[in-house]
Amino acid sequence: MTSAITTHVLDTALGRPAAGVPVRLSRIDGSDHVLADAVTDDDGRVADLGPDQVPAGTYQLRFGTAAYYAATGQECFYPQVSVTFAVTDRRHHHVPLLLSPFAYSTYRGS
């Protein structure tokens, strides 16, 4: 089974995958239903994040960056990063996060 929504976290300041980042996937539908909780592996990925299909709607990935920065001895300006996005079709949705202590970015991956 492949999750319908996946993520990959890279630490751009250190030039490596961000291992040990807590990740929560929720559906934002008024009740903010949690679909999955996971932690990134040594490659900064989550192998299994939620169901293999999700209905159209609004979803959120919340990354617990404070725990990651504490573990790597870096300063932390953004203790949490939330990425909210819309699912409009049944295609796979890959949402990577690029981190540094004072900035972050994300994009629709493949």
Side-chain angles (χ1 to χ4, degrees):
M1 175 175 92
T2 300
S3 299
I5 299 168
T6 58
T7 191
H8 186 196
V9 184
L10 298 172
D11 184 328
T12 60
L14 297 179
R16 64 182 187 208
V21 177
V23 180
R24 172 170 279 178
L25 172 64
S26 301
R27 178 163 182 180
I28 308 300
D29 60 1
S31 66
D32 296 344
H33 179 71
V34 175
L35 298 175
D37 282 305
V39 177
T40 58
D41 63 16
D42 288 343
D43 195 34
R45 298 178 186 273
V46 176
D48 186 18
L49 185 63
D52 61 348
Q53 292 184 18
V54 295
T58 304
Y59 293 83
Q60 182 179 76
L61 285 168
R62 188 170 63 209
F63 301 88
T65 53
Y68 171 74
Y69 286 124
T72 59
Q74 298 181 76
E75 286 190 59
C76 176
F77 186 70
Y78 297 104
Q80 177 177 290
V81 173
S82 296
V83 179
T84 304
F85 56 97
V87 170
T88 59
D89 55 41
R90 293 199 174 268
R91 293 184 304 157
H92 175 254
H93 289 72
H94 185 63
V95 185
L97 179 67
L98 306 176
L99 287 178
S100 73
F102 301 102
Y104 64 88
S105 65
T106 185
Y107 58 95
R108 167 90 192 253
S110 58

